[in-house]
Amino acid sequence: MDMLWNGWGDPAKAAPLPDSVTGLLRDLLGVTPRSTPALGLEDIRLPAPTVGPAALKALAAAVGGEEHVRTDAESRIRHTRGKSTPDLLRIREGDVADVPQAVVLPAGHDEVLAVLRACAAHGLAVVPFGGGTSVVGGLAPQRSAFVALDLRRMNGLLDLDPVSRTAVLQPGLRAPEAEALLAGHGFTLGHFPQSFEWATIGGFAAARSSGQASAGYGRFDEMVLGLTLATPEGTIETGRAPRSAAGPDLRQLILGSEGAFGVITSVTVRIRPLPETRLYEGWRFGSFEEGVTALRRLAQDGPRPTVLRLSDETETLIGLAQPDAIGAGSAPGDAGCLAITGYEGTAEDTAHRRERAAAVLTDCGGTPAGAEPGERWAHGRYSAPYLRDALLDVGAFAETLETAAFWSRVPGLYTAVRTALTDTLTRAGTPPLVMCHISHVYENGASLYFTVVSAQGEDPVAHWTPAKHAANEAVLAAGGTISHHHGVGTDHRDWYVREAGPLGVSALRAVKRRLDPEGLLNPGVLLPTD
Amino acid sequence: MDMLWNGWGDPAKAAPLPDSVTGLLRDLLGVTPRSTPALGLEDIRLPAPTVGPAALKALAAAVGGEEHVRTDAESRIRHTRGKSTPDLLRIREGDVADVPQAVVLPAGHDEVLAVLRACAAHGLAVVPFGGGTSVVGGLAPQRSAFVALDLRRMNGLLDLDPVSRTAVLQPGLRAPEAEALLAGHGFTLGHFPQSFEWATIGGFAAARSSGQASAGYGRFDEMVLGLTLATPEGTIETGRAPRSAAGPDLRQLILGSEGAFGVITSVTVRIRPLPETRLYEGWRFGSFEEGVTALRRLAQDGPRPTVLRLSDETETLIGLAQPDAIGAGSAPGDAGCLAITGYEGTAEDTAHRRERAAAVLTDCGGTPAGAEPGERWAHGRYSAPYLRDALLDVGAFAETLETAAFWSRVPGLYTAVRTALTDTLTRAGTPPLVMCHISHVYENGASLYFTVVSAQGEDPVAHWTPAKHAANEAVLAAGGTISHHHGVGTDHRDWYVREAGPLGVSALRAVKRRLDPEGLLNPGVLLPTD
């Protein structure tokens, strides 16, 4: 099944907003219904592909037949950009400026190498395409003559070592498929980002994804033990041991490279036994500050829950901590801040961690809210992007952004980003609701994930761009990183360059020039073009 | 205090071998006393420095005065090579082929940059020098015109954030000094490698050190949150958050770069509260295989002790698991394999982990051996290099090497390396005793640390070189990494190049060329020279 071309996910899961929410949006934010009807896929006008027959023939030869090279309009539109809100707004208006010339589907590492050779021979850039879920412009290169390298045919479990607890996965495996394959052997990867239903193993690696259970299972980049990278100059294979002192860690150079250094063609990951028990529950805190202190104590001194999240007052009030409950009338209206704690593992281990964590949370001023908020969060954990579609449909604007910092900087970063977003959008005439949660904790710091909802106004992308830029400036000024788990893409690139510094970026460009001397790979994504 | 110039550590801690051990070495390995008397420092003949007065003047200007530029024989000899057994044997014979032209002592980041500029202007290579404890040729560049950049004046605690639990340390801080400074604030770094008494923070980062308590505190590269790197082309600063999705992790490109990309001038580390409790104890297993399974279970399913080690049958028999006890008559002679488990933390946490770990170890066939072996191990944890000096003094050869692999490859790797060492040295007429232990465990694999003792024979370095090469080949063939925590240096370089592969190495060389276009930094260390 394909993802909805102009929205998120499985069209069958779309759900309109309840009237109560529509009313709230109107009263609170001045949201008014869209005046222009949405375009259908068949209404989109595409420029004819500029890729010639010789190039198409070479691509077909690289991937074992012309059936694996697609130039039809639907395929091209479905590989245009990713799933940020500006991406959706643009495609809904028929803006296909970033459309690929063709979609190429290789079946394995050698075919990827062959595609790269064919593209080099015909002057085509290459955008690796997994689930297509980038929200940072990672699929919109700064070259119009490019092909989308769709990895969906590379979706196998290549090896599983139950003793070492490692598995070798192909990059085009979607997360649910990967979990199903591993579950057949009694294992789980434990990577459950909000994009879980659609995103792929290769994409997780390329963009340093982090899942909702990162407190227990770690970030995706912490799960990766080895990678194979296909580049225009050949192959890099990494990972002979879990840890090594043999030079710089090449895995960590490939992780986060966002397709700019090569195409990830296999990923060796650590796997864990399927948990006997999964248990999620809610806790209430009087303030975000109090809750942050509680999360920090658990992250630093333990015990570490598997899932650990905290919504700020606004997010708690609106009920976005449990997207499925919005408008249901039960969650909204609660005061204070809701935290979700989750425990997965053996029955003994989860019981022990839960008991000790409860003591810490209570000591930090928390009040147990029982299993219901936890179960509701778990039920709605992948719902937020569907909710966004519904919001866009009724004329609201909704977007998210995220960052991370050391603990002592978290309060200042929280205030700085909220203020930047609120001030900019208010000045533009679309005062927003800004909500925030912490969803990833470390001994030394945490992530902050912001959700912004406002009226769309005259031109929602034009309204949003300065607000997003102001938020990026606030992130850098307050000592945060420009992305905790969405990546750099093209949207964050200019701020990333400032974060990494000119010499650091220059070192990465030297790597890119060595691996991709003609600059074919995702030009302008991650690193500026020459 | 300076380290012994021709051996290890504090001369006051040197202890001759008991007669019983000397007898054992003679009877078992044919070790006979050295026939040549050892040279004194004053007997070493040095070539006159080739560095001219203009260069010395520029260096003095870079570091705030000529008192911080040393060209005397003692300083130069003390900065010649590191502390591998071949290093010690060569310097004891007066071989100073790798002597620096001068020793330069900068006081801070800007002075390091100034030294790099001065060296570029005068065609001098630069070898960053921390504790001088490299055992892989990391201080022996492939250029004779070089200066040793001794970082001892950069030994401060620059910042400590008790909320985020981070500290900024200068690179020349020795580990005990760092621990003392942190203890003043109630914190510990928790990094206790065998080189603890002498090695420095910068060296730990540059060579990806791993300490004896890595099961609890992590490897050094896992403790590092930020780094500052001074290069001939400027400065790189990394680490705005504990984790980030903003591109490849530049920290992991600097960690393990062994001075070939730049000079690490500050390291931001995670710190932890000083433990309330420290408790070490012994466990016995019938075989190495049985013990390996027990360690794997703890590493994969927990609870994780802070220290977790397992000696094979030979090491247990000889008693090297507790170096201080060798010849004392109590430990040697025990059958099976000795494991050491250690717990550090709060009283409650250590008690809980210890109790649950004991259940796992018992379930895996282990028998508790009480506190004595643990305490004895803890007392002698930094003694092995002193023991090596005593062995060299009586005409024995003693050296170590280490690797790591995924769990399923550990048994094959163990056998392959043991066989390679035994066969090669036996063929050379100096049959060895080969001992091994696991001292670092991960969910997905473990390290193997080998100790080799034999007679020195005619020319011990000539005997050892083919044995070491055979071990390196065995490591690669059996799927291990060429180093788990000693690093690459010059000794492992050719095998490292094969492990990383030509394109991976080429990417790192591209980084080096960008940061060090004239190839001044540690030429030939880590990466081959052009």
Side-chain angles (χ1 to χ4, degrees):
Chain A
M1 188 185 54
D2 279 323
M3 167 109 82
L4 193 61
W5 70 276
N6 60 354
W8 180 264
D10 178 358
K13 292 191 186 173
L17 288 182
D19 285 345
S20 62
V21 175
T22 317
L24 193 72
L25 291 166
R26 184 189 58 228
D27 299 344
L28 200 64
L29 301 173
V31 171
T32 51
R34 289 172 52 89
S35 52
T36 50
L39 292 174
L41 183 58
E42 66 286 358
D43 301 321
I44 307 283
R45 291 287 154 262
L46 275 191
T50 58
V51 57
L56 290 173
K57 197 173 162 193
L59 290 169
V63 293
E66 58 189 28
E67 66 273 30
H68 304 306
V69 180
R70 300 182 185 165
T71 53
D72 63 284
E74 179 171 344
S75 293
R76 291 172 67 205
I77 293 168
R78 286 187 179 281
H79 291 80
T80 301
R81 305 194 193 95
K83 296 293 177 184
S84 72
T85 300
D87 288 347
L88 299 188
L89 291 169
R90 286 196 188 108
I91 202 89
R92 286 174 181 210
E93 293 187 344
D95 172 354
V96 286
D98 300 304
V99 71
Q101 301 302 320
V103 180
V104 184
L105 296 90
H109 177 82
D110 291 342
E111 289 193 5
V112 172
L113 289 174
V115 169
L116 296 178
R117 281 192 298 269
C119 287
H122 294 276
L124 289 165
V126 180
V127 176
F129 193 101
T133 62
S134 172
V135 290
V136 294
L139 302 168
Q142 292 186 316
R143 281 262 295 270
S144 59
F146 77 93
V147 300
L149 189 77
D150 188 317
L151 296 156
R152 70 178 64 189
R153 291 173 70 207
M154 295 170 67
N155 64 347
L157 166 64
L158 298 184
D159 192 28
L160 189 144
D161 175 350
V163 173
S164 305
R165 294 193 181 168
T166 61
V168 183
L169 306 175
Q170 284 191 305
L173 260 180
R174 287 189 186 162
E177 297 168 347
E179 286 293 343
L181 289 168
L182 294 173
H185 299 265
F187 288 99
T188 180
L189 181 56
H191 188 64
F192 307 109
Q194 196 170 75
S195 59
F196 177 79
E197 296 173 336
W198 299 91
T200 59
I201 296 298
F204 294 146
R208 291 188 179 270
S209 173
S210 192
Q212 293 165 352
S214 69
Y217 292 101
R219 296 166 57 84
F220 195 79
D221 53 21
E222 293 168 333
M223 299 175 185
V224 172
L225 300 164
L227 294 151
T228 308
L229 187 74
T231 85
E233 295 290 294
T235 299
I236 295 181
E237 284 190 87
T238 67
R240 292 170 70 87
R243 293 288 181 271
S244 168
D249 192 341
L250 286 172
R251 298 175 294 204
Q252 297 289 335
L253 190 63
I254 297 170
L255 291 162
S257 63
E258 301 192 8
F261 291 170
V263 182
I264 293 167
T265 58
S266 82
V267 185
T268 304
V269 291
R270 80 174 175 213
I271 53 177
R272 290 188 176 164
L274 280 166
E276 286 174 15
T277 303
R278 284 192 179 93
L279 185 134
Y280 312 107
E281 58 194 4
W283 285 78
R284 297 256 164 211
F285 288 91
S287 69
F288 192 53
E289 189 185 354
E290 195 178 70
V292 169
T293 302
L295 264 61
R296 178 163 65 83
R297 267 193 57 188
L298 289 178
Q300 292 185 332
D301 296 325
R304 190 75 74 92
T306 310
V307 172
L308 189 55
R309 310 168 62 83
L310 173 72
S311 293
D312 71 355
E313 288 86 348
T314 312
E315 189 169 292
T316 300
L317 186 72
I318 299 296
L320 197 67
Q322 307 144 48
D324 281 9
I326 286 192
S330 57
D334 289 323
C337 291
L338 179 65
I340 302 293
T341 55
Y343 304 90
E344 302 183 9
T346 63
E348 184 206 340
D349 173 62
T350 52
H352 179 75
R353 280 192 289 146
R354 181 174 170 240
E355 184 192 321
R356 285 182 57 221
V360 173
L361 292 166
T362 303
D363 191 49
C364 291
T367 312
E372 199 214 341
E375 293 306 318
R376 202 189 284 155
W377 167 79
H379 182 258
R381 63 195 293 182
Y382 309 128
S383 300
Y386 293 99
L387 177 63
R388 176 180 59 169
D389 280 349
L391 288 167
L392 295 180
D393 288 344
V394 301
F397 175 90
E399 182 57 302
T400 65
L401 59 88
E402 39 79 64
T403 176
F406 294 113
W407 284 112
S408 58
R409 291 181 189 160
V410 164
L413 181 59
Y414 171 73
T415 303
V417 175
R418 265 174 63 90
T419 305
L421 291 167
T422 305
D423 288 358
T424 316
L425 285 168
T426 302
R427 273 201 305 275
T430 48
L433 201 61
V434 179
M435 297 163 274
C436 182
H437 64 248
I438 289 179
S439 46
H440 306 269
V441 297
Y442 306 95
E443 277 182 71
N444 309 104
S447 68
L448 287 174
Y449 188 96
F450 295 90
T451 301
V452 183
V453 180
S454 70
Q456 288 191 6
E458 278 297 300
D459 180 344
V461 175
H463 281 227
W464 174 243
T465 304
K468 170 72 175 167
H469 290 187
N472 292 348
E473 293 295 333
V475 163
L476 289 196
T481 176
I482 199 64
S483 174
H484 171 267
H485 61 271
H486 284 170
V488 175
T490 46
D491 293 355
H492 289 149
R493 189 191 57 221
D494 296 349
W495 290 267
Y496 167 62
V497 163
R498 285 159 58 191
E499 178 174 334
L503 194 58
V505 167
S506 178
L508 295 177
R509 287 170 67 122
V511 172
K512 180 168 173 74
R513 270 193 298 271
R514 178 61 191 88
L515 302 179
D516 177 27
E518 297 180 60
L520 300 178
L521 287 159
N522 252 2
V525 169
L526 183 68
L527 299 170
T529 52
D530 285 319
Chain B
M1 187 184 58
D2 280 323
M3 168 108 81
L4 193 61
W5 70 276
N6 60 355
W8 180 263
D10 177 0
K13 292 192 186 173
L17 287 181
D19 286 346
S20 62
V21 175
T22 318
L24 193 72
L25 290 167
R26 184 188 57 231
D27 298 344
L28 201 64
L29 301 173
V31 171
T32 51
R34 289 171 51 86
S35 52
T36 50
L39 293 174
L41 183 59
E42 66 287 357
D43 300 320
I44 307 285
R45 292 286 155 260
L46 276 190
T50 57
V51 57
L56 290 173
K57 199 174 159 193
L59 289 169
V63 293
E66 58 188 27
E67 66 272 29
H68 304 306
V69 180
R70 300 182 185 167
T71 53
D72 62 285
E74 179 171 343
S75 293
R76 292 174 65 205
I77 293 168
R78 287 186 180 281
H79 290 81
T80 302
R81 305 191 195 96
K83 297 293 178 184
S84 73
T85 299
D87 288 346
L88 299 187
L89 291 168
R90 286 195 186 109
I91 201 87
R92 285 174 182 210
E93 291 186 346
D95 171 354
V96 286
D98 299 305
V99 72
Q101 301 302 318
V103 180
V104 183
L105 296 91
H109 177 81
D110 291 343
E111 290 193 6
V112 172
L113 288 173
V115 169
L116 296 178
R117 281 192 297 269
C119 287
H122 294 275
L124 289 165
V126 180
V127 176
F129 193 101
T133 62
S134 172
V135 291
V136 293
L139 302 167
Q142 292 185 317
R143 282 264 293 272
S144 59
F146 77 93
V147 301
L149 188 76
D150 189 316
L151 296 156
R152 70 178 65 190
R153 291 174 70 207
M154 295 170 65
N155 65 346
L157 167 63
L158 298 185
D159 190 29
L160 189 144
D161 174 352
V163 173
S164 306
R165 293 192 180 169
T166 61
V168 183
L169 306 175
Q170 284 191 304
L173 259 181
R174 286 188 186 163
E177 296 168 348
E179 286 293 344
L181 288 169
L182 295 173
H185 298 265
F187 289 100
T188 179
L189 181 56
H191 188 65
F192 307 109
Q194 197 169 75
S195 59
F196 177 79
E197 295 173 336
W198 299 91
T200 58
I201 296 298
F204 294 147
R208 291 187 178 270
S209 174
S210 193
Q212 292 165 353
S214 69
Y217 293 100
R219 299 166 55 84
F220 195 79
D221 52 21
E222 294 168 333
M223 298 175 187
V224 172
L225 300 164
L227 293 150
T228 308
L229 187 74
T231 84
E233 295 290 294
T235 299
I236 295 181
E237 283 190 88
T238 67
R240 292 171 69 87
R243 292 288 180 274
S244 168
D249 193 341
L250 286 172
R251 298 175 295 203
Q252 297 289 335
L253 190 64
I254 297 170
L255 291 162
S257 62
E258 300 192 9
F261 291 170
V263 182
I264 293 167
T265 57
S266 82
V267 185
T268 303
V269 291
R270 81 174 173 213
I271 53 177
R272 291 187 176 166
L274 280 166
E276 285 174 16
T277 304
R278 284 193 180 90
L279 186 136
Y280 312 106
E281 57 194 5
W283 284 78
R284 297 258 165 212
F285 288 92
S287 68
F288 192 52
E289 188 184 354
E290 194 177 71
V292 169
T293 302
L295 264 61
R296 178 164 64 83
R297 266 193 57 188
L298 289 178
Q300 292 185 331
D301 297 325
R304 191 76 73 90
T306 311
V307 172
L308 187 55
R309 309 169 63 84
L310 173 73
S311 292
D312 73 355
E313 289 86 348
T314 312
E315 189 168 292
T316 302
L317 186 71
I318 298 296
L320 197 67
Q322 307 142 50
D324 280 9
I326 287 190
S330 58
D334 288 321
C337 289
L338 179 65
I340 303 291
T341 54
Y343 305 90
E344 302 184 9
T346 62
E348 184 206 339
D349 172 63
T350 53
H352 179 74
R353 281 191 289 147
R354 180 175 172 240
E355 185 192 320
R356 285 182 56 220
V360 173
L361 293 166
T362 304
D363 190 50
C364 291
T367 312
E372 200 214 340
E375 294 305 319
R376 203 188 282 154
W377 167 79
H379 182 257
R381 61 194 294 181
Y382 309 128
S383 299
Y386 293 98
L387 177 63
R388 177 180 59 168
D389 280 350
L391 288 166
L392 296 181
D393 288 344
V394 301
F397 175 90
E399 183 57 304
T400 65
L401 59 88
E402 40 79 63
T403 176
F406 294 112
W407 284 112
S408 58
R409 292 182 187 158
V410 164
L413 181 60
Y414 171 74
T415 303
V417 175
R418 265 174 63 89
T419 304
L421 291 167
T422 304
D423 288 359
T424 316
L425 285 168
T426 301
R427 275 201 304 275
T430 49
L433 200 63
V434 179
M435 297 162 276
C436 183
H437 64 250
I438 289 178
S439 45
H440 305 269
V441 297
Y442 306 95
E443 276 183 70
N444 309 103
S447 68
L448 287 174
Y449 188 96
F450 295 89
T451 301
V452 183
V453 180
S454 71
Q456 288 191 6
E458 279 297 299
D459 181 344
V461 175
H463 282 226
W464 174 244
T465 303
K468 169 72 177 167
H469 290 187
N472 291 348
E473 293 294 335
V475 163
L476 289 196
T481 177
I482 199 65
S483 174
H484 170 266
H485 62 271
H486 283 170
V488 175
T490 47
D491 293 356
H492 288 150
R493 190 191 56 222
D494 296 349
W495 290 267
Y496 167 63
V497 164
R498 286 161 55 192
E499 178 174 334
L503 193 57
V505 168
S506 178
L508 295 177
R509 288 171 67 122
V511 172
K512 180 169 172 73
R513 270 194 298 271
R514 178 62 190 87
L515 302 179
D516 178 25
E518 297 179 61
L520 300 178
L521 286 160
N522 253 1
V525 169
L526 184 67
L527 298 170
T529 52
D530 285 318

